[in-house]
Amino acid sequence: MNTYRTHFCSDLTLKNLSEKVTLSGWVDTIRDHGNLLFVDIRDNYGITQCVIDATNNLFKKIAKINNESVIKIKGEVTKRNETTVNTSLSTGEIEVKIESFEILSNSNTLPLPVNSDIEYGEEIRLKYRFLDLRRNKLHKNILLRNKIISDIRKKMIDRDFVEFQTPILTSSSPEGARDYLVPSRLHQGKFYALPQAPQQFKQLLMIAGFDKYFQIAPCFRDEDSRADRSPGEFYQLDFEMSFVTQEDVFEAIEPVLFEIFNENKKNNKIIVSPYPFKRIPYNEAMEIYGTDKPDLRNPLNIKDYTTVFKGSNFKIFSDQIKKGSVVKGIIVKNTGDQPRSFFDKLNNWAREQGAAGLGYISFTDNAFKGPIAKNLDENQLLSLNLEVNDSIFFICGKLKEAQLFSGKVREKICNDLNLLNKASFEFCWIVDFPMYEIDEKTNKIQFSHNPFSMPQGEMEALENKNPLDIKAYQYDIVCNGVELSSGAIRNHKPEIMYKAFDIAGYTKEELEEKFSGMLNALKFGAPPHGGSAPGIDRIVMLLADEPNIREVIAFPMNQQAMDLMMDAPARIDKDRLEELGIKLIDKN
RNA sequence: GCGGGAGUAGUUCAGCUGGUUAGAACGCUGCCCUGUCACGGCAGAGGCCGCGGGUUCGAAUCCCGUCUCUCGCGCCA
């Protein structure tokens, strides 16, 4: 190939026997037998074993090389003796007999071993990220990420989506997160904001007539991190389409997601749910799964048992029902014969979670057991429809909190009993999100999602319906309990926009001041349009089967939003601050 | 901002209800070793037990404070 190498470290096989080759790469391991030594040389593509014996005068020099030094070796490809073949390497049938070598770059003693798969602390991994990235797992994850992104790009372009770049320095957008701000030198006292998403720009591109937009878009939000939420920045497959209904958007992206998952899954045993994906209305998701991002691999469902307990002798529940509470229950198969401790542990867990407890009834040998059973009469017990060896767990509370806690119980029991079919990706759409909700602190009506979504029923619904009953053309896509994206059919009519904001307590003037660019554009002929934006990092995380998003990002920040390698954020020289017209205040 | 877990050698960890010189493995240094692939063997160096204070004859261990990392909650419409 060139002066550094004729082959990659994954290339050589018996076909290359007797060839004189040159390899360059990192010293993975040296095994020194005194008069014979092996060097495993590693590059992006693989590992090749090289060998030298003490009759060669280079022997002593090679023996002293540190791991992870970069070397170039020249030598002859030789066949390994049958007993010494290594079947776990693609190059395991040959080795290279070293004839000469050159150290291209020395490595100090490593703070973090590279040739090992054991877990290390995140602090050291992030500080020496370049070493961590050399290691097998992370290296593979990043290559997978690249493959997924290039696949996405191909598939979107094949479907006539057009790729755009949108500004990084922009102004605050309508999303609800905190913006990252960048001070302006030319306009002192004013700030740019990094985009939380290219939401307004993609809508403007639709208004500009480009019909189908997409972008592998960087998004910036100054919010606290989670295991599946990178601090600061993340990437979305942002897309938008003109002249479409909600169903058209679903039909456009479902095959892309299905193929991405099906073509990049770890092995062929993994099943990807076929499209069209299940559509679940928000209210139904809350009723059956107790969450708006259900993991459909979990076989447990929540049902309502309020009527069973309404007139029952179980005072704890029936009294609460009189005050407006509901009772939710989860039937779990094959648990009637679990020991008392199983139920006690769950009860204790529920208390730790802040619930009063977790009552249950189990049905075995045609008898109902458990602390609640004696409080129900026969008809009430039979109406539970339990089969032999079923248990049912009850949650009582105000609707929303009962739903949410039932969701936690559903997840907890599923995990404890290991009921999840891990070898599958189960997609669903959550649709019909409410347009508005009540702010519990202020009791005021506010947007529950993106204020730019089109309300179902449009102007007619805004004028005549109770705002809390209005649904939006707003949808999420969920996979295995992970929210991959939010999307919507947008509101493209200014008069509906004014009305929608009016209901949430914004005057026409406030709206025009905040979103003048967008609003103005809608007045010059905006097509009906909508889209969505699946999170790239989360897609890679699912496909790489990683529990933490930092494992699929080359250079992530830590939980405190610091880059330990580049030392960001950092203090800025006084001169620079002065230039920007910024004076720091000492909060202490 | 709040709650859980963690912080001991370069690294991953052990170290009991307080007790003499703080251990192991990997890595590092030196020596031995011609078929290993996590090579093996012998020897050695390496520690402010996160930091500060307190209790005690005595603290890695108990108490208080503080810092750092991490998971969750709030937050992310």
Side-chain angles (χ1 to χ4, degrees), chain A residues 164-423:
Chain A
F164 287 84
Q165 290 77 47
T166 50
I168 299 297
L169 293 176
T170 177
S171 65
S172 192
S173 62
E175 285 82 9
R178 264 181 225 105
D179 289 313
Y180 273 99
L181 298 175
V182 179
S184 163
R185 176 180 56 85
L186 293 174
H187 306 275
Q188 297 208 346
K190 291 187 175 178
F191 293 81
Y192 300 94
L194 306 185
Q196 295 178 30
Q199 178 71 38
Q200 294 195 68
F201 291 109
K202 71 173 175 179
Q203 292 194 239
L204 292 164
L205 288 164
M206 291 299 96
I207 295 169
F210 285 106
D211 206 63
K212 286 180 169 183
Y213 148 99
F214 90 101
Q215 178 179 192
I216 310 293
C219 304
F220 306 89
R221 295 180 191 174
D222 187 4
E223 295 293 349
D224 289 350
S225 69
R226 289 289 182 276
D228 65 350
R229 213 164 72 201
S230 171
E233 54 193 77
F234 60 97
Y235 283 80
Q236 292 182 334
L237 161 56
D238 196 35
F239 72 95
E240 195 79 2
M241 309 161 74
S242 287
F243 304 108
V244 289
T245 62
Q246 180 168 298
E247 274 301 316
D248 297 325
V249 175
F250 290 3
E251 279 169 28
I253 203 66
E254 280 176 337
V256 175
L257 287 172
F258 175 82
E259 287 169 22
I260 290 294
F261 275 74
N262 209 37
E263 290 162 15
N264 290 290
K265 61 192 184 186
K266 274 198 160 177
N267 63 62
N268 284 325
K269 285 180 193 154
I270 298 174
I271 309 245
V272 183
S273 59
Y275 55 89
F277 303 146
K278 213 169 182 182
R279 279 88 160 124
I280 306 171
Y282 170 82
N283 284 340
E284 191 182 314
M286 294 308 293
E287 267 302 291
I288 299 178
Y289 308 111
T291 172
D292 61 1
K293 40 181 181 176
D295 190 338
L296 297 185
R297 297 172 303 168
N298 180 338
L300 304 175
N301 289 335
I302 301 161
K303 281 187 185 150
D304 191 276
Y305 294 91
T306 310
T307 52
V308 177
F309 284 91
K310 200 166 190 177
S312 75
N313 290 327
F314 191 48
K315 287 272 178 260
I316 300 173
F317 282 9
S318 59
D319 285 354
Q320 283 199 62
I321 292 170
K322 277 178 202 159
K323 292 181 203 157
S325 284
V326 296
V327 177
K328 301 291 173 191
I330 300 174
I331 294 178
V332 188
K333 299 261 159 226
N334 305 319
T335 49
D337 54 0
Q338 286 276 357
R340 176 69 190 261
S341 61
F342 170 77
F343 299 97
D344 287 348
K345 269 185 204 159
L346 283 170
N347 192 50
N348 289 339
W349 167 84
R351 284 169 182 238
E352 280 168 24
Q353 298 293 310
L358 189 60
Y360 65 95
I361 292 175
S362 47
F363 184 52
T364 46
D365 311 324
N366 287 316
F368 292 93
K369 294 175 188 165
I372 294 179
K374 61 178 184 294
N375 297 297
L376 296 182
D377 64 32
E378 200 179 328
N379 281 336
Q380 288 165 334
L381 286 167
L382 290 175
S383 70
L384 298 173
N385 279 324
L386 297 185
E387 289 172 16
V388 172
N389 216 10
D390 282 359
S391 301
I392 180 165
F393 294 87
F394 294 107
I395 298 96
C396 180
K398 293 275 187 288
L399 181 65
K400 189 93 188 239
E401 68 189 48
Q403 285 177 333
L404 291 176
F405 187 60
S406 301
K408 278 192 189 172
V409 172
R410 174 177 177 266
E411 204 181 322
K412 167 76 177 163
I413 295 176
C414 177
N415 284 340
D416 285 4
L417 296 175
N418 209 8
L419 301 176
L420 221 53
N421 173 17
K422 293 219 167 99

Side-chain angles (χ1 to χ4, degrees), chain A residues 3 55 66 113 155 170 179 188 221 367 491 575:
Chain A
T3 173
T55 59
N66 280 344
K155 288 175 197 302
T170 177
D179 289 313
Q188 297 208 346
R221 295 180 191 174
N491 183 349
D575 297 357

